[in-house]
Amino acid sequence: MKLWQKVFWCTFLLFELLYNASSLYLIRHDFNRNLVREVDRGLADQQLIAAQIEADWSYITNLNTLLNAAKEEPGEFLNRNAPKYLKSFDPGITSIEIKDDRGQTVFTGFAGAIDGPRPELDIKHPDDRNYVIRSIGPKSVLFVSGGLDLGGRAFKLTYILDMTDLYADKDAQIRNFIRLNLVVAVVLAAGLYGLIWFLTRSVRLLAESARMIASGGYAHRVAVLSKDEIGLLAEQFNAMAEAVEENVRALEAAAENKQRFIHYLTHELKTPLTSIIGYADLLRTTSFNEDVFYRSLDYIYSEGKRLESLAFKLMDLILADNHRPLLNAGDIRPLFEETAQLMKPQLDAAQVTLSLSAEAARLPMERDLLLILCTNIIDNAAKASKAGSGIEFRGYRTEGARYVIEVRDEGIGIPEPDIPNVFEPFYTADQSRSRTSRGAGLGLAICAEIVRLHEGELSIRSSQGEGTFVRISLPGAC
């Protein structure tokens, strides 16, 4: 069977199945709801008639007693008065039947013959009411029976309701549904045929598109006109071409990033080396002057420390990028305390206070890398903060077995356009601050690699003049 034929028959049969099932369910549900309503009505009417008969009998009996008149037999009373109780009901569909305790009919307004057993008359308790729906000829009739007590004698009152119209309405709905379904099936078949032909036109375009892609036109895309097997094949062709284009773009981006990395590294190395060479040459070529001598040595020392810091940062970045650490479960809170202790001299020198709050938790981690992560973030926050400001350093567990590390400072902040680039090596949003703080722009690049190795998430929110908020989410907390 061809593809379009499979689609046609599957869609047609599925629609017919669901349409028929839902329509028949609605018809049956509507019929059952009406049937329950009619049965409830029959039970209520039977109880009402029984209560009226008993009330009238009690009234007549009491009246005869007061007048010293002859008492009337219950059977005669029922036979004489029963027709009046049907005046408030439709005489065409409603009637009653009364039987005495011996099963003899005292009164009946039902003209049809009732054959077979009468289970509705099997009343064990005076308050019981039974009902049954039986077919009598072409009619469907509801019989509701209940006890009737007149002067100590037990009778059985049966309320009879013709429900033929209810069943006829159900049959009419089914006939209308069948006629409507035939019309719907014809229209559906014609519509599906045209629609499937239209949707499978992608087959005619796929061959030409495949030829162009095979000849090297990877920028070309197959027009995906359907979601069937042909549409899926077209999507796979597009995915193949897109993957090749993405790989080419990735190689170009990697080459560009590598060139930029070399450019930045050359620039970072050139500045301190120029200073060191210049001051060394000054010491070598000028006569001894104690003030110039010590000032030059200070510059040489500070620039040498800057080169040392840059070397260690590069080493951390290389290790984080290439080393796949073995993660061991450990308590995170001691790491917070060690970070605060390590950063205390720098924070004191910058006159910045650190507020520490760490919730105890065990999680898989490489402790040394996480220590580098925390110290780098605190270091960046300290460099961005003014004297007298504070840094909030906290950790806590969240739902989903994750542990969150947050660092919030009150520093100068990061311009919003620069936030997506702060994780690139050597990138610094504020070049002047980078020079004064001896930063090389490697800290956040190292942090991003460490978080990636721990399969965590790192995000930054910042506003200029309002500070920066760094949030790290790590998995596996317990």
Side-chain angles (χ1 to χ4, degrees):
M1 185 179 291
K2 296 181 179 180
L3 176 63
W4 73 268
Q5 292 174 328
K6 292 180 182 179
V7 176
F8 174 84
W9 285 112
C10 289
T11 306
F12 181 81
L13 294 177
L14 179 61
F15 177 84
E16 282 293 300
L17 176 64
L18 294 177
Y19 177 70
N20 291 344
S22 59
S23 299
L24 292 175
Y25 169 78
L26 290 175
I27 293 174
R28 184 170 183 81
H29 176 74
D30 183 66
F31 169 75
N32 288 337
R33 185 180 59 182
N34 293 332
L35 182 63
V36 169
R37 185 175 63 246
E38 291 298 317
V39 170
D40 290 341
R41 170 189 162 189
L43 292 170
D45 289 348
Q46 192 277 340
Q47 188 176 26
L48 177 63
I49 294 173
Q52 289 178 344
I53 292 175
E54 290 177 347
D56 290 348
W57 167 256
S58 177
Y59 173 77
I60 293 298
T61 301
N62 291 335
L63 183 61
N64 289 337
T65 301
L66 291 174
L67 299 176
N68 292 322
K71 292 185 178 181
E72 188 176 13
E73 288 295 324
E76 295 176 359
F77 169 80
L78 291 172
N79 192 40
R80 180 170 55 85
N81 293 283
K84 75 175 185 179
Y85 297 109
L86 293 174
K87 290 182 179 179
S88 58
F89 299 96
D90 189 345
I93 62 173
T94 305
S95 59
I96 62 173
E97 177 190 68
I98 303 175
K99 290 183 177 290
D100 60 19
D101 52 359
R102 295 187 300 274
Q104 299 298 318
T105 301
V106 177
F107 173 85
T108 181
F110 185 67
I114 306 174
D115 299 326
R118 301 286 301 275
E120 72 275 14
L121 297 176
D122 186 14
I123 300 172
K124 304 298 184 183
H125 191 273
D127 294 332
D128 289 345
R129 283 177 297 153
N130 300 331
Y131 72 88
V132 67
I133 300 174
R134 56 168 55 91
S135 297
I136 299 178
K139 297 183 178 181
S140 297
V141 184
L142 170 68
F143 293 82
V144 181
S145 298
L148 188 64
D149 186 10
L150 301 180
R153 287 191 59 183
F155 294 86
K156 296 176 181 178
L157 171 66
T158 302
Y159 174 84
I160 304 172
L161 178 64
D162 187 352
M163 296 196 301
T164 304
D165 290 344
L166 181 63
Y167 284 85
D169 183 62
K170 173 189 173 184
D171 295 338
Q173 289 186 34
I174 293 176
R175 289 193 298 271
N176 290 334
F177 160 72
I178 293 174
R179 287 193 289 267
L180 179 62
N181 188 43
L182 290 175
V183 176
V184 169
V186 172
V187 174
L188 178 64
L192 277 178
Y193 181 85
L195 182 62
I196 292 172
W197 182 88
F198 175 75
L199 293 177
T200 54
R201 69 189 187 278
S202 57
V203 178
R204 299 185 291 273
L205 302 175
L206 182 60
E208 179 62 22
S209 298
R211 186 189 64 79
M212 295 180 64
I213 293 174
S215 63
Y218 298 111
H220 180 76
R221 295 292 182 268
V222 180
V224 180
L225 304 176
S226 63
K227 292 296 183 180
D228 53 21
E229 295 87 348
I230 302 301
L232 179 61
L233 180 60
E235 291 177 356
Q236 294 301 323
F237 265 89
N238 289 341
M240 176 188 68
E242 187 173 351
V244 172
E245 279 194 329
E246 288 180 356
N247 288 335
V248 171
R249 286 196 298 266
L251 290 173
E252 293 175 349
E256 183 179 351
N257 290 337
K258 186 177 295 184
Q259 185 63 36
R260 186 169 62 251
F261 183 89
I262 294 173
H263 172 74
Y264 288 154
L265 178 59
T266 302
H267 182 272
E268 292 295 331
L269 290 175
K270 180 179 68 176
T271 302
L273 284 175
T274 300
S275 298
I276 291 173
I277 294 171
Y279 282 107
D281 186 60
L282 177 64
L283 292 175
R284 186 174 63 86
T285 59
T286 61
S287 59
F288 177 78
N289 181 294
E290 185 175 1
D291 182 59
V292 174
F293 179 78
Y294 284 109
R295 189 168 64 250
S296 299
L297 287 180
D298 285 340
Y299 277 115
I300 292 173
Y301 176 78
S302 63
E303 294 301 318
K305 292 297 290 183
R306 183 179 170 193
L307 282 177
E308 180 187 46
S309 175
L310 177 60
F312 283 132
K313 293 285 187 179
L314 287 172
M315 186 178 298
D316 289 339
L317 181 60
I318 293 170
L319 288 176
D321 190 37
N322 297 304
H323 178 56
R324 297 294 178 182
L326 177 63
L327 303 183
N328 298 311
D331 192 357
I332 190 69
R333 184 157 60 182
L335 188 140
F336 274 70
E337 297 171 353
E338 184 176 352
T339 300
Q341 189 65 31
L342 288 173
M343 297 303 300
K344 189 176 186 305
Q346 180 178 339
L347 295 170
D348 290 343
Q351 298 180 16
V352 175
T353 59
L354 180 67
S355 174
L356 174 62
S357 173
E359 181 180 345
R362 293 182 63 83
L363 66 154
M365 61 179 175
E366 208 295 323
R367 195 176 187 282
D368 292 337
L369 289 180
L370 281 190
L371 187 61
I372 294 173
L373 169 68
C374 294
T375 54
N376 270 312
I377 295 177
I378 300 296
D379 178 63
N380 282 346
K383 291 175 180 177
S385 299
K386 298 178 182 179
S389 62
I391 298 174
E392 183 182 357
F393 182 33
R394 62 190 296 253
Y396 58 91
R397 287 185 295 182
T398 64
E399 295 181 0
R402 300 190 75 86
Y403 193 86
V404 174
I405 301 173
E406 293 179 351
V407 176
R408 187 190 304 272
D409 64 57
E410 302 170 353
I412 61 175
I414 304 172
E416 186 174 350
D418 293 328
I419 292 178
N421 303 317
V422 296
F423 300 112
E424 295 182 10
F426 293 107
Y427 184 88
T428 52
D430 189 340
Q431 296 295 332
S432 63
R433 182 171 69 84
S434 176
R435 297 276 76 82
T436 58
S437 61
R438 297 294 189 262
L442 290 171
L444 286 177
I446 295 171
C447 292
E449 287 297 323
I450 293 174
V451 172
R452 181 184 63 81
L453 292 173
H454 285 78
E455 298 181 353
E457 298 173 359
L458 172 61
S459 62
I460 292 181
R461 296 201 309 269
S462 185
S463 298
Q464 281 187 286
E466 297 180 5
T468 301
F469 175 73
V470 179
R471 186 179 190 274
I472 301 163
S473 177
L474 300 174
C478 60

